[in-house]
Amino acid sequence: MEPRVLLVEDNEANADMLRRRLARRGWTVAVAADGMKALIAARREKPDLILMDISLPEIDGWEVTRRLKADRETAHIPILALTAHVMPSDREQCFAAGCSEFEAKPIEIERLLGKMRALVGQGDAR
């Protein structure tokens, strides 16, 4: 069974590019373009993993992560932060909000895939 990932990304071009690259590698990808849509999609899609952009309109990724981790239905889903915020304090804030892992933009796809596989126990996935 293909692992399911929810990609939370407000930049349509970035979301489309990453969605296609992940799908080619065997991931089923749902996309949410903002924080509110992410909260709804996480409950509806029940993904194995969430890729969370931090700079989102209306509700930022840190707050979305806190809300997902506070919800019994979504608290167990690992969240990997995707962000251009790369200062040590930004990384600490991601972990403090409840993220399991962190990847700086621009994304290096093989490194990202390794982190994704580790989070969902898919060591043998393509």
Side-chain angles (χ1 to χ4, degrees):
M1 186 161 115
E2 292 183 339
R4 295 166 297 132
V5 62
L6 172 60
L7 172 60
V8 184
E9 171 63 66
D10 63 320
N11 181 298
E12 191 176 330
N14 289 347
D16 186 57
M17 180 272 307
L18 190 53
R19 180 194 55 75
R20 285 184 288 115
R21 292 179 87 181
L22 293 173
R24 280 195 304 265
R25 300 289 180 65
W27 293 80
T28 299
V29 183
V31 178
D34 64 46
M36 284 306 296
K37 289 177 181 157
L39 293 169
I40 294 164
R43 291 178 128 236
R44 181 186 65 235
E45 300 292 332
K46 297 179 179 27
D48 299 305
L49 174 66
I50 298 172
L51 299 178
M52 181 70 66
D53 183 18
I54 297 303
S55 298
L56 295 170
E58 298 186 38
I59 304 172
D60 66 37
W62 289 310
E63 180 60 25
V64 174
T65 297
R66 284 190 284 273
R67 291 184 190 187
L68 290 170
K69 290 302 178 178
D71 183 337
R72 275 193 311 168
E73 285 194 41
T74 57
H76 68 282
I77 303 169
I79 299 175
L80 193 156
L82 300 177
T83 183
H85 300 277
V86 296
M87 298 299 292
S89 60
D90 297 319
R91 186 179 175 94
E92 291 166 14
Q93 193 170 357
C94 287
F95 290 121
C99 292
S100 302
E101 187 55 87
F102 178 94
E103 181 66 27
K105 291 180 178 179
I107 294 166
E108 200 292 305
I109 192 70
E110 291 304 323
R111 185 174 58 226
L112 175 64
L113 286 165
K115 291 178 180 182
M116 292 172 64
R117 289 180 196 116
L119 289 171
V120 298
Q122 295 288 327
D124 61 343
R126 290 185 278 156

